[in-house]
Amino acid sequence: MLLRLFIGYLLVQTVSGKMCRPKASGTKLQAFVNNDVNSIMGDPERNTVRHANQLVYFWPSLSEFEQSVLRDSFSQISRRSCIKFEEQPWQPWYHADRWEPERPYVIIRKSRQYAAYTDNNLEGQVSRTILYISQNAFEQHSYNQSRGAVMDQLVRYMGLRKELLRPDAASYAQEKNVGHAPPTPRFHPAQLSWPFDPESITVPLSARKTHYLTEYCPGRNDADIGAGQRVGLLTRWDSIKINSMYCPQLVEADPRRGPCVVPRKKDIHHFKKKIHAYNEMKKY
Ligand SMILES: *[C@@H]1O[C@H](CO)[C@@H](O)[C@H](O)[C@H]1NC(C)=O
């Protein structure tokens, strides 16, 4: 409660005080509905794309453990993509660093309920985002799974959408008990220009219990669904999709050789059997 009041105070200061710049957009808590990283609307004003280099402040109440998971997530993401998260030493809101024009930054906080962000643009002067990582991401069964859950929220903040919500996802992965299908969010065209990836960091670990792969995805096994989050690593295809948004000049890949059609070496035998079985099935 106190924190919330403080934030309210901060925002009021932001708008009315310090800069004498009247308009802050998207500061209200209600705005989270649209900026939920799970939201179908995402960020309707733009197709992502943020700065590939993100200056990051940790909200002081994040625990050492949470900070270390976040740092590790940053380094895993930048190891395999051109996105960089640069942690800054904490500065209070009135510090000059936080008011420098041309220096957008993100404050990372934790939320019991949301994975969400709120972007504030003060007349193009200061661009500041508050990103809420949901508490449960830090409370997974293992450290690597926590890193995976945090990485998922970070890459979706950076503009990836859930692979399972792609318009073409149902061709490759089907839900066992069909519930109501969530609406398709707006995807960045770069993500959709590459093949569906059942192991993407954006696929929840729990999806292996709820989904199975179709005959159009013989290159992977049901047990591979959600593998990215399980090990807490971007897949090769996650990297390709992210880099296509932020540094397309670095991307070299053949979209016809996606994870659903190119098996891993260890699975080749199984893959051949599956293809054979499908072909047999089609005969009848
Ligand atoms: C967790 O991830 C790290 C880095 O990828 C890896 O070295 C380590 O073996 C993983 N731990 C477990 C228990 O899988």
Side-chain angles (χ1 to χ4, degrees), residues 69-183:
V69 174
L70 278 160
R71 284 187 193 110
D72 196 5
S73 301
F74 296 162
S75 78
Q76 289 298 344
I77 290 172
S78 48
R79 204 162 62 82
R80 290 196 169 172
S81 76
C82 58
I83 292 178
K84 300 271 175 291
F85 293 94
E86 297 169 31
E87 188 187 340
Q88 309 293 306
W90 176 252
Q91 303 286 12
W93 64 271
Y94 48 78
H95 193 281
D97 279 358
R98 288 187 45 183
W99 294 96
E100 238 174 76
E102 319 281 320
R103 190 175 174 279
Y105 62 85
V106 53
I107 299 177
I108 297 195
R109 305 192 48 181
K110 192 175 61 168
S111 162
R112 264 180 221 290
Q113 286 138 26
Y114 311 104
Y117 56 83
T118 160
D119 286 326
N120 300 291
N121 289 304
L122 301 174
E123 298 274 309
Q125 286 289 304
V126 176
S127 170
R128 178 199 58 194
T129 301
I130 303 177
L131 171 62
Y132 288 80
I133 300 290
S134 67
Q135 167 100 28
N136 70 357
F138 295 109
E139 295 168 349
Q140 302 291 309
H141 290 300
S142 73
Y143 173 87
N144 285 5
Q145 273 179 40
S146 279
R147 185 178 66 204
V150 168
M151 287 171 70
D152 165 45
Q153 293 183 26
L154 290 172
V155 298
R156 286 193 289 119
Y157 158 71
M158 293 302 285
L160 274 191
R161 297 279 174 258
K162 292 184 174 188
E163 282 283 285
L164 282 176
L165 297 183
R166 287 168 65 117
D168 59 348
S171 304
Y172 307 102
Q174 287 274 332
E175 217 170 330
K176 288 177 187 161
N177 302 309
V178 181
H180 83 106

Side-chain angles (χ1 to χ4, degrees), residues 11 14-15 21-27 119-123 128:
L11 294 178
T14 302
V15 178
R21 290 198 178 267
K23 283 189 209 115
S25 57
T27 45
D119 286 326
N120 300 291
N121 289 304
L122 301 174
E123 298 274 309
R128 178 199 58 194

